[in-house]
């Protein structure tokens, strides 16, 4: 496994990061099996583990905490988690406010069975909280030793720039990393997010390299998709072959599969190698549910995509384009709230 420095922090992390979203009720509820996966990843040289408080409502953090405690080598692991999404019913139990972050970091520390978090990430933007408020509390947690560095996830480029300028103007610590979705089928961040990350000296930890399963080779054109099980049952709009967007994904998969076969590799191996070829990407988050899936990902770790292979990929999915929208969890208010993009009716006409 190779290692890269994380966003100017001096912390070296493996180019594969073990993502644990599938550990717990939402994916693999067998804690012992998940522990074996974590230990196998560490044995393979992965030193970077990413989770979040909301993954299976805290269960993923609990699994990671138990697994690392059992190993007894916490100091050798760069541990990352996130905060933002609701954790339980009631007000003030989500978001990026000082009130919530101060409370929830303690819960994450407890579940993870550790005294510090190496990388604490704001899981999504929060329009109800000033970015200065968020940066200030994260800086306080660094000074308290509860977190060592902090970053963000799925922030648009303009919010990364705003956060950077606020930090400079107010003398606050800044986001060191951004965690965006990035895959062969979702290249939109090449237009703005990844260039911004490089310009600001941040690290990029990319997620969903297999495009919610579409790049596993399991879903192929003119083959039936079982809509009653797995991810297709949980997210039918992403898999229903009757929808044009999913037909476009299947069309691209056929062409990308041919690229992989031309290299003598599998489609998942091609998919995991692709993000690492971008100079802004520090580490790619792999999210296995089973030990076999981890082993398959590790098998392709030696694949290097040359310029000819990348040119073929560019011809199938042009740089900076998305075949589908990769983040179905969050949308900016400018898109979800019509009032933010519609003037009052009396003020819409061109004539006075």
């Amino acid at each position: 496994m190779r290692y890269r420095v994380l966003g100017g922090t001096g912390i070296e992390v493996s180019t594969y990061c073990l993502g644990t979203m599938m550990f717990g009720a939402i994916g693999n509820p067998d804690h012992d099996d998940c522990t074996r996966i974590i230990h196998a990843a560490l044995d393979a040289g992965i030193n970077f583990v990413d989770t979040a408080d909301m993954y299976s409502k805290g269960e993923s953090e609990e699994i990671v905490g138990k697994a690392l405690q059992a190993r007894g080598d916490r100091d050798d692991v760069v541990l990352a988690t996130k905060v933002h999404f609701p954790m339980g019913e009631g007000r003030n139990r989500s978001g990026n406010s000082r009130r919530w972050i101060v409370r929830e970091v303690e819960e994450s520390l407890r579940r993870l069975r550790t005294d510090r978090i190496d990388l604490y990430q704001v899981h999504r933007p929060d329009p109800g909280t000033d970015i200065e408020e968020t940066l200030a509390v994260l800086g306080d947690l660094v000074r308290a030793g509860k977190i060592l560095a902090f970053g963000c996830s799925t922030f648009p480029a303009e919010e990364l720039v705003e956060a950077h300028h606020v930090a400079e103007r107010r003398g606050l610590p800044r986001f060191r990393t951004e965690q965006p979705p990035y895959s062969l089928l979702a290249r939109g961040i090449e237009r703005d997010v990844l260039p911004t990350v490089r310009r600001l000296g941040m690290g990029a930890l990319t997620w969903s390299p297999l495009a919610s399963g579409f790049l596993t080779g399991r879903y192929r054109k003119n083959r039936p998709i079982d809509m009653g099980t797995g991810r297709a049952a949980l997210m039918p709009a992403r898999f229903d072959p009757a929808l044009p967007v999913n037909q476009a994904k299947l069309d691209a998969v056929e062409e990308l599969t041919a690229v992989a076969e031309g290299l003598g590799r599998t489609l998942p191996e091609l998919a995991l190698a692709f993000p690492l070829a971008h100079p802004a990407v520090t580490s790619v988050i792999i999210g296995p549910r089973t030990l076999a899936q981890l082993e398959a990902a590790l098998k392709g770790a030696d694949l290097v995509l040359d310029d000819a292979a990348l040119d073929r990929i560019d011809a199938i999915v042009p740089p900076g384009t998305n075949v589908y929208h990769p983040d179905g969890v969050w949308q900016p208010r400018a898109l979800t709230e019509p009032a933010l993009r519609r003037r009052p009716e009396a003020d819409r006409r061109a004539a006075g």
Side-chain angles (χ1 to χ4, degrees):
M1 191 60 56
R2 299 181 69 182
Y3 302 86
R4 296 173 177 172
V5 175
L6 184 65
T9 64
I11 300 171
E12 294 186 3
V13 296
S14 50
T15 49
Y16 278 179
C17 172
L18 180 67
T20 64
M21 186 179 75
M22 300 306 295
F23 293 173
I26 195 174
N28 186 345
D30 187 330
H31 288 208
D32 290 338
D33 192 37
C34 293
T35 294
R36 284 190 287 272
I37 296 170
I38 294 170
H39 290 176
L42 298 177
D43 289 341
I46 293 175
N47 75 334
F48 197 11
V49 179
D50 178 77
T51 184
D53 58 358
M54 58 87 67
Y55 292 165
S56 294
K57 299 180 179 178
E59 189 181 2
S60 174
E61 285 187 330
E62 291 173 354
I63 291 170
V64 170
K66 286 191 295 184
L68 295 184
Q69 187 178 67
R71 290 269 299 199
D73 55 358
R74 169 68 182 88
D75 288 343
D76 295 327
V77 177
V78 179
L79 181 58
T81 191
K82 312 180 198 71
V83 62
H84 170 82
F85 285 107
M87 293 292 289
E89 301 295 329
R91 297 181 182 276
N92 298 312
R93 293 182 61 81
S94 65
N96 304 342
S97 69
R98 173 178 288 272
R99 188 180 193 275
W100 178 239
I101 289 175
V102 164
R103 176 179 175 181
E104 186 58 12
V105 72
E106 298 293 345
E107 292 298 305
S108 286
L109 288 167
R110 176 184 60 79
R111 289 187 291 259
L112 290 166
R113 304 186 183 194
T114 186
D115 61 350
R116 83 280 185 194
I117 294 162
D118 297 295
L119 178 65
Y120 198 45
Q121 300 156 101
V122 177
H123 213 155
R124 293 294 188 279
D126 178 3
T129 303
D130 287 346
I131 190 63
E132 181 177 348
E133 180 83 358
T134 302
L135 294 173
V137 65
L138 292 170
D140 289 344
L141 293 177
V142 170
R143 284 186 285 274
K146 294 183 178 182
I147 67 175
L148 303 186
F150 59 85
C152 52
S153 176
T154 322
F155 272 47
E158 65 270 18
E159 298 206 29
L160 295 177
V161 172
E162 179 187 3
H164 182 80
H165 287 326
V166 168
E168 280 193 331
R169 195 163 59 244
R170 299 299 187 188
L172 298 169
R174 61 186 178 89
F175 287 134
R176 290 292 188 173
T177 60
E178 158 61 12
Q179 188 179 128
Y182 186 38
S183 72
L184 289 164
L185 299 180
R187 302 182 60 178
I189 63 169
E190 293 174 345
R191 286 183 176 272
D192 46 21
V193 171
L194 291 181
T196 299
V197 163
R198 291 193 75 191
R199 189 163 59 250
L200 298 179
M202 301 172 68
L205 324 171
T206 62
W207 55 271
S208 198
L210 298 181
S212 296
F214 258 85
L215 295 172
T216 62
R218 178 180 178 184
Y219 305 102
R220 299 292 296 273
K221 195 171 179 66
N222 299 321
R223 295 182 188 175
I225 295 177
D226 183 357
M227 297 297 296
T229 60
R231 293 188 179 187
L234 291 173
M235 302 178 289
R238 290 199 174 191
F239 292 87
D240 185 353
L243 298 177
V245 65
N246 294 326
Q247 279 297 320
K249 286 191 278 188
L250 292 170
D251 289 340
V253 163
E254 292 303 307
E255 295 187 75
L256 292 167
T257 299
V259 174
E261 291 175 348
L263 297 172
R265 311 303 288 251
T266 66
L267 179 60
E269 290 172 353
L270 180 75
L272 293 178
F274 171 73
L276 286 173
H278 197 288
V281 174
T282 306
S283 187
V284 173
I285 298 172
I286 59 173
R289 183 177 52 84
T290 66
L291 185 59
Q293 289 174 352
L294 172 66
E295 291 171 344
L298 293 172
K299 184 179 178 182
D302 64 336
L303 175 58
V304 176
L305 298 181
D306 60 18
D307 287 346
L310 293 172
D311 288 343
R312 290 188 65 192
I313 291 169
D314 287 350
I316 297 167
V317 181
T321 64
N322 288 331
V323 178
Y324 76 108
H325 192 287
D327 182 20
V329 178
W330 180 88
Q331 291 281 350
R333 290 177 66 204
L335 299 182
T336 60
E337 298 183 23
L340 294 180
R341 59 179 188 275
R342 297 177 183 175
R343 291 178 179 270
E345 286 191 28
D347 195 27
R348 295 178 188 173
R349 62 176 177 262

